[in-house]
Amino acid sequence: MASADERRFEVLRAIVADYVSNQEPVGSKALVDRHDLGVSSATVRNDMAALEEDGYITQPHTSAGRIPTDKGYRLFVDRLSEIKPLSAAERRAIRNFLDGAIDLDDVLRRSVRLLAQLTRQVAVIQYPTLTNSTVRHVEVVSLTPARLMLVLITDTGRVDQRTVDLGDVVTDDGVARLREQLNNTLSGKRLADAAAKVSELPEQSPGELRDIMTRICTVLVESLVEHPEERLVLGGTANLTRNVADFPGSLRQVLEALEEQVVVLKLLAAARNPGAVTVRIGEENEDEQMRSTSVVSIGYGSDDLLLGGMGVVGPTRMDYPGTIAAVRAVANYVGQILSGR
């Protein structure tokens, strides 16, 4: 780029930094005082006029200062040459907090809470899509002679527990045979394939266990199909209300949109690759209710398997470098934990 364009970008970057931290429109004098731009106030005023003409900044109401537009934020984000990684202490704190989780639900709840605290925005995470999961193990535990507990464990760390009333009694030997048959048939299979195999199990069972296996399979199939209502965990919604001025007349719309899982799933749909961050700013959001927000999203999983998406929703006036770094770090650790690494 020509040096004038570079200089104007430095002015834009300074305006973004000041507006994000102070929430006040930025004037040329403040820029010269606060930033080492190496040029006169007159040059900065000329650069601001050029940026305004090109649609990167705008003048709100009668204020003497300027604020970035969606287009200005987009250029700023696209030109982020490098994201300052979190410090070793911050990364250690994330790992220690997430390593304390006891199961998948706890991992996701902790991740959302952590992301909301780190970014001071709304955090959202999608449950691992079950279509990508395989059965790691099916445990069968005798609660009483006529009642069993089934525990389905997937390779993504999902643990689903269900009780089965047998209407008959089963011996410890019978329980061991049921466990062996279930694991021989289902272990290592993708959940959709395992669900299809379940119907064959009663026919393959010895006569005295056939009725019991039928009852087990009726309950087990519920664990093997998708539960759309369990797809998302949301946290930190109250963070949006800290700066109502960022959502002139639209905060209620944003909150209502966040309650609709379909809207949030669409926001995360852009995150198709583990480790690749997507930033949608203002008008770039497909849903009209979300046009006053920015969404920073990422896929989590392992290199070769996308498990789900996670991200942050906040005003367009957000700390993009810090938010991107936090989203990337949390996604990295969640992917490691759920991939068993």
Side-chain angles (χ1 to χ4, degrees):
M1 288 178 84
S3 59
D5 284 346
E6 280 295 343
R7 193 184 65 235
R8 281 175 194 153
F9 178 70
E10 288 306 315
V11 170
L12 173 65
R13 182 151 59 186
I15 291 170
V16 169
D18 281 6
Y19 184 59
V20 166
S21 62
N22 301 328
Q23 205 178 348
E24 295 288 337
V26 185
S28 57
K29 184 175 185 308
L31 286 179
V32 172
D33 290 346
R34 281 200 286 257
H35 299 272
D36 184 18
L37 295 171
V39 292
S40 68
S41 293
T43 303
V44 171
R45 277 197 299 276
N46 289 338
D47 287 343
M48 288 176 75
L51 288 167
E52 187 168 11
E53 194 176 325
D54 291 341
Y56 293 111
I57 59 176
T58 188
Q59 183 176 24
H61 316 304
T62 56
S63 164
R66 303 293 186 273
I67 65 173
T69 61
D70 289 355
K71 184 180 177 183
Y73 284 125
R74 169 47 62 198
L75 181 64
F76 172 77
V77 169
D78 288 347
R79 298 270 318 265
L80 284 174
S81 52
E82 58 182 55
I83 300 298
K84 178 176 167 289
L86 299 184
S87 69
E90 286 171 320
R91 291 200 304 274
R92 199 159 50 243
I94 291 173
R95 177 174 281 287
N96 290 344
F97 185 64
L98 294 183
D99 278 350
I102 52 174
D103 58 21
L104 175 68
D105 294 330
D106 198 20
V107 169
L108 301 188
R109 280 194 300 269
R110 283 169 179 250
S111 302
V112 155
R113 202 156 79 236
L114 187 62
L115 207 44
Q117 286 171 355
L118 287 171
T119 63
R120 301 178 75 197
Q121 311 291 0
V122 179
V124 59
I125 187 166
Q126 183 182 18
Y127 263 80
T129 41
L130 296 183
T131 45
N132 290 333
S133 303
T134 58
V135 177
R136 182 178 284 169
H137 184 69
V138 182
E139 188 53 66
V140 185
V141 181
S142 178
L143 298 175
T144 72
R147 196 171 207 219
L148 299 176
M149 181 167 70
L150 293 179
V151 185
L152 176 77
I153 303 166
T154 70
D155 62 336
T156 53
R158 191 183 187 104
V159 178
D160 202 358
Q161 297 183 2
R162 310 227 171 206
T163 55
V164 188
D165 290 309
L166 304 178
D168 201 351
V169 296
V170 62
T171 63
D172 289 345
D173 178 59
V175 170
R177 287 158 70 196
L178 290 164
R179 183 189 300 117
E180 183 180 12
Q181 188 185 352
L182 286 165
N183 282 294
N184 285 346
T185 304
L186 305 179
S187 285
K189 290 194 168 48
R190 286 185 175 267
L191 266 64
D193 298 333
K197 283 280 182 192
V198 161
S199 60
E200 301 169 12
L201 283 164
E203 290 302 314
Q204 298 165 358
S205 300
E208 71 275 14
L209 293 177
R210 193 163 296 163
D211 286 347
I212 291 173
M213 183 61 90
T214 301
R215 287 181 183 243
I216 286 174
C217 290
T218 305
V219 171
L220 188 59
V221 80
E222 291 179 19
S223 298
L224 295 169
V225 296
E226 289 270 19
H227 300 294
E229 73 282 359
E230 292 180 5
R231 294 289 294 280
L232 292 171
V233 187
L234 204 66
T237 313
N239 285 332
L240 289 185
T241 62
R242 283 185 303 110
N243 293 311
V244 179
D246 283 317
F247 306 96
S250 63
L251 180 57
R252 184 175 170 185
Q253 285 183 321
V254 173
L255 292 171
E256 286 173 355
L258 288 173
E259 286 177 13
E260 295 179 40
Q261 301 225 339
V262 176
V263 171
V264 184
L265 285 168
K266 268 199 296 190
L267 296 176
L268 297 180
R272 298 307 344 141
N273 298 313
V277 176
T278 301
V279 181
R280 284 188 176 169
I281 300 168
E283 294 291 324
E284 295 169 358
N285 285 307
E286 193 181 319
D287 196 279
E288 199 171 326
Q289 294 166 289
M290 303 299 287
R291 299 270 167 87
S292 61
T293 71
S294 284
V295 181
V296 179
S297 58
I298 191 169
Y300 70 88
S302 57
D303 294 338
D304 54 350
L305 180 63
L306 177 76
L307 295 175
M310 71 168 64
V312 159
V313 179
T316 53
R317 187 188 67 87
M318 73 160 65
D319 169 17
Y320 290 97
T323 300
I324 291 168
V327 166
R328 189 179 278 159
V330 173
N332 180 37
Y333 286 124
V334 172
Q336 287 180 18
I337 289 166
L338 297 186
S339 303
R341 286 182 287 137

